[in-house]
Each structure stands twice: as structure tokens, then as C-alpha cells.
Amino acid sequence: MSEVLEDGDIYFLYRPRVGEEHVASLSEVQRLLVVLHPWRGRRRLRLLVVGRKRLPEIDEHDRFWAFVDAVVSRPEELYDALRPHLYETKTRGERFQPPARPTAEGAYCIARHDDHTHLAYQLELPGRPGPPQHELEIEPEASYIVTVKNPQAPSPPGVGLPGPGKAKLPADLQERFHGRRFAPLDPSRFLDHGGVELVLIGAAHDASAELGIDLDAEVERAARHTIFEDLRIGRAEQPANPLLTGQWQ
């Protein structure tokens, strides 16, 4: 059995590549984004960026890097990170960055399991996953072992955030590393600090069975009011095909 440290709503989005208004495959995706919205305690939202533009494959036990890009108290505060951008370049003139697009939502939990921690989720939407979810490796249900990188430990060349982007943790969280390079995501408030770096490892398709947690009940508790409406993305700015029908736009 596992101990649930945190639970809440989870949202998956992707950012199309610059100039790609109509996305038809993973090659036209720039970033995979994940928003975690806890139910208990101080209400906040964490925006995570996942490396390699997709989640780790479960069967291959992939290990992917991710980091906390922003922590805010209201959905509207995420809008600037997800909205469209228009900017000038010296060589190609004016360039358009489309807004982030919703592709899935559901419920998640962070659980302590033996000597490590898991991030597990189950989707509510789309009802039938399609090409976007398959290519982004967003399973209907999944579990990932998750660890936190010590921001004071060196990173291999070309890996991790540069110095100014690294997290500055309070003393009680920094002590959790005991001088090691990694620590379990325990407590989950590690995620309340921008620049925190994570490693996600594919663990199990059936997260409920692996962790002894009823994710069906978690989904039933999920908020009916989606943050996508507050963010004014999705239906208001572009077709939300990935979220509602499981099809690329």
C-alpha cells in the first residue's frame, strides 16, 4: 500500500512549433506541458515542462528530465506562459508562436511507495485517446517514479537548467538531500519552487493496482470547472480537438 502525499487535477497541454498553426504530428510540437492543481492546502498551480516533448514510455522505463517552470495562485496567472506570441527575428522577420493547446485532463496523486515516490494519474478527457495522446505518450492511466534533483549538485554538460534558472530551496527542503544528488518527491511542496528539476521514470500502466490507490474515485472528485476556461485557451482561441475528440488539429 502507498501513502498519498497530494492529489488534485492534472492538465496536459502542448505548444506547437513556431509557425505551425495546424499540428498533425509530434514533429510539429515544441513542448509538452503539465499543470498540477492540488485540491488541499494552499490553492496553487504548478506548470511543468517535460523533456523530449512526451512522457516517458512505461514499458521501456524511460527516464526523462522535467522542471517546474512556474508556480502561481490563480489560473489567470498562467495565461502569459501559455498565450500566443508574435515577435521579430533578424533573419526571418515576424514569427508567430501559437498558444498552448489542451490535450488531456484528469486526476493525479503523488504517493510515497516503499523508499520512493510516484506521480500517478488517470484521465477524464478525452473519453477515447487518439493520435495526440498516443504520440505524446499520455496513457489513460499511468504511474511514474519521480525524484528531485539537488539544485546544489552539478549537472552533466548540456543537461539541466543554467545557473540563474536553478531552484533556491528553503533550508528544510535542501536538507532532505543529505548531500545526495537526488531525493524522493517528499514532501510534494518541492514543486512549489520554480526551477526545481525532476526525473520521471516510466513505472506502470495500472497505477491503481501498483500503488493500491483508487484512481477512479480520484477522477470522480476532480473539479468539474476546468482551468482551460479560465485560461481562455482551447475552445475560445482554437479548436480543442485533442482534448474533446482525441484528434490533432
Side-chain angles (χ1 to χ4, degrees):
M1 296 296 294
S2 303
E3 179 183 353
V4 174
L5 304 175
E6 177 181 295
D7 50 11
D9 298 313
I10 188 168
Y11 304 89
F12 297 93
L13 309 94
Y14 65 87
R15 170 80 80 172
R17 295 176 66 89
V18 173
E20 297 288 355
E21 186 68 25
H22 299 286
V23 175
S25 70
L26 187 63
S27 65
E28 295 164 341
V29 171
Q30 183 182 66
R31 275 186 163 183
L32 173 64
L33 308 172
V34 180
V35 175
L36 301 179
H37 193 189
W39 291 329
R40 289 189 272 266
R42 183 171 60 86
R43 295 291 281 178
R44 59 208 175 280
L45 299 97
R46 296 84 157 242
L47 177 65
L48 279 59
V49 177
V50 180
R52 303 199 188 183
K53 306 190 299 185
R54 60 180 178 86
L55 292 176
E57 285 192 26
I58 300 297
D59 295 333
E60 299 297 326
H61 301 297
D62 281 342
R63 296 169 178 255
F64 283 4
W65 174 77
F67 68 93
V68 179
D69 189 45
V71 181
V72 301
S73 58
R74 301 193 315 276
E76 295 83 357
E77 295 177 86
L78 283 180
Y79 182 67
D80 188 59
L82 305 176
R83 67 180 177 86
H85 293 275
L86 194 65
Y87 58 93
E88 290 283 339
T89 66
K90 292 183 179 179
T91 58
R92 305 189 68 178
E94 192 174 82
R95 302 285 283 162
F96 176 67
Q97 170 73 74
R101 299 177 179 177
T103 187
E105 65 179 65
Y108 79 93
C109 69
I110 296 169
R112 182 188 298 125
H113 186 227
D114 296 330
D115 61 349
H116 53 271
T117 46
H118 285 248
L119 170 64
Y121 71 85
Q122 182 172 307
L123 296 186
E124 180 181 17
L125 291 173
R128 180 174 297 178
Q133 293 75 33
H134 296 323
E135 291 198 55
L136 295 167
E137 294 293 337
I138 301 173
E139 305 268 350
E141 180 179 329
S143 170
Y144 306 88
I145 295 172
V146 56
T147 61
V148 184
K149 182 186 176 295
N150 186 343
Q152 296 182 1
S155 299
V159 176
L161 295 173
K166 290 183 180 292
K168 296 177 177 59
L169 297 175
D172 66 312
L173 290 180
Q174 186 61 48
E175 290 170 359
R176 293 273 181 161
F177 292 100
H178 302 290
R180 298 171 299 182
R181 291 185 61 203
F182 295 95
L185 182 55
D186 185 2
S188 61
R189 57 189 176 86
F190 272 113
L191 298 175
D192 292 337
H193 300 275
V196 160
E197 297 174 88
L198 310 166
V199 174
L200 299 171
I201 305 171
H205 296 283
D206 191 344
S208 299
E210 180 198 33
L211 301 175
I213 294 171
D214 187 355
L215 283 173
D216 287 326
E218 297 286 332
V219 169
E220 287 297 318
R221 294 178 55 202
R224 300 276 74 82
H225 177 65
T226 174
I227 65 165
F228 292 141
E229 297 173 11
D230 292 326
L231 292 173
R232 290 175 288 152
I233 61 175
R235 304 177 199 184
E237 290 196 349
Q238 81 283 317
N241 295 34
L243 176 65
L244 301 179
T245 69
Q247 298 297 316
W248 291 109
Q249 170 57 37

